[in-house]
Amino acid sequence: MPGNHLMNAVKTMNCLAVSMALMACAGAARSAEPIDILPGDERFKAPAYEDFEVRYGSTFSKNGEFTLQVRNVAGGTKTHVMDIIPGENAVVVAFRMIDSASQRVEFSAGPYFAWGQEFVVNQASNEGYDAVRIPIGGGEPARMTGELPLGGSIADTFSPTLASLMPMQTGAKFRLPIVEPRKDETFANVFANFEVVGREELILKSGLRCECWVIEGTTSAMTSRYWVSREAPFFYRWHRDIGGQREFISEALGFRLLQ
């Protein structure tokens, strides 16, 4: 009947209109401006966890792997993150203390090669930093201080920080404050950009697996892709691209709870 054909045509047009509207909304969501998330933001919902240790295989480490330890301290108000990286003639240790509520890095100590072969010890607040640079090969230490106008810095790697922002929908964009070295040998407090690019059932060669959020992060120095879960060890894989042929991949080889 002619009337039926007309009704079917109207229904088809309505479906097309709805589909186009949904596609437009999806496109708008992906192209939306990123959300700025500063230390102490209410979006941080740190997952509960027990102290743990992860062994990572890494193309960055000279011997092909390193160990990470993450601990709850001070009644769960602080997170201690320690990297233990075996070298040819020594073991390199780097340490970060993170405020569990704000996710701000309050203290760090470790090698820092932006201005040379140095070990840097840095204490920071929501206002500024006070760092001492110690030449590894010998020489006089140098002190530097400065402001942190974005309220401090957030550790985006090998800590529960990114996991504490999940779940987010695919396409969600956000920015987190970090510190980067300046040419004048001071630190700049700048934003790093992040986008949730998908979900993935990740199964590693070690047998570890997770239903991960895949998050892409971009700074002036490199582009990273993280596979992150709400469950410890949180970071299952990290792929860094710092230009040219310099790509580094770290992925979990083993995981255990600490006593």
Side-chain angles (χ1 to χ4, degrees):
M1 297 288 291
N4 289 338
H5 289 304
L6 180 60
M7 290 296 296
N8 288 336
V10 170
K11 290 179 180 179
T12 300
M13 292 298 292
N14 286 339
C15 288
L16 286 172
V18 170
S19 298
M20 291 175 68
L22 290 173
M23 290 174 65
C25 289
R30 288 193 63 83
S31 62
E33 289 297 314
I35 300 169
D36 291 346
I37 300 178
L38 300 177
D41 193 289
E42 62 181 9
R43 295 176 183 84
F44 287 120
K45 306 295 182 185
Y49 66 92
E50 297 183 56
D51 298 347
F52 65 87
E53 178 180 278
V54 194
R55 186 167 56 90
Y56 286 95
S58 177
T59 57
F60 180 75
S61 174
K62 287 187 176 181
N63 76 333
E65 64 178 65
F66 68 94
T67 300
L68 178 88
Q69 292 184 351
V70 179
R71 298 178 185 271
N72 268 306
V73 298
T77 63
K78 307 294 180 185
T79 302
H80 283 186
V81 181
M82 181 179 294
D83 306 300
I84 306 168
I85 309 169
E88 293 180 357
N89 301 309
V91 175
V92 176
V93 176
F95 175 80
R96 300 179 298 286
M97 183 175 74
I98 302 167
D99 180 75
S100 301
S102 68
Q103 294 299 312
R104 178 187 297 108
V105 179
E106 295 184 332
F107 179 85
S108 62
Y112 203 80
F113 304 128
W115 307 293
Q117 300 291 309
E118 297 180 330
F119 193 89
V120 175
V121 180
N122 182 32
Q123 186 163 0
S125 68
N126 62 335
E127 297 178 351
Y129 64 87
D130 188 346
V132 177
R133 299 164 48 199
I134 306 165
I136 293 175
E140 290 298 318
R143 183 181 180 186
M144 61 179 185
T145 59
E147 296 181 350
L148 295 173
L150 299 179
S153 66
I154 289 176
D156 57 304
T157 56
F158 298 121
S159 75
T161 301
L162 285 179
S164 72
L165 289 172
M166 298 299 114
M168 284 188 178
Q169 293 183 344
T170 297
K173 298 178 182 179
F174 56 97
R175 302 198 303 173
L176 299 175
I178 61 170
V179 291
E180 286 188 341
R182 292 191 183 105
K183 291 183 179 179
D184 65 354
E185 299 187 351
T186 61
F187 287 125
N189 196 193
V190 299
F191 278 117
N193 290 285
F194 296 86
E195 179 177 358
V196 180
V197 296
R199 294 292 303 275
E200 182 178 336
E201 177 68 27
L202 180 66
I203 303 176
L204 300 176
K205 294 178 182 178
S206 60
L208 291 172
R209 62 172 63 199
C210 77
E211 180 66 32
C212 293
W213 285 273
V214 185
I215 303 171
E216 191 167 279
T218 306
T219 68
S220 62
M222 64 181 167
T223 298
S224 297
R225 184 163 285 211
Y226 314 95
W227 282 259
V228 175
S229 169
R230 285 280 298 182
E231 306 254 337
F234 308 120
F235 261 76
Y236 283 76
R237 177 186 285 163
W238 181 24
H239 182 180
R240 288 173 286 176
D241 182 355
I242 57 178
Q245 301 298 315
R246 297 178 298 175
E247 290 186 333
F248 302 106
I249 299 174
S250 302
E251 64 176 42
L253 298 178
F255 166 75
R256 71 182 183 93
L257 297 178
L258 296 173
Q259 300 300 319

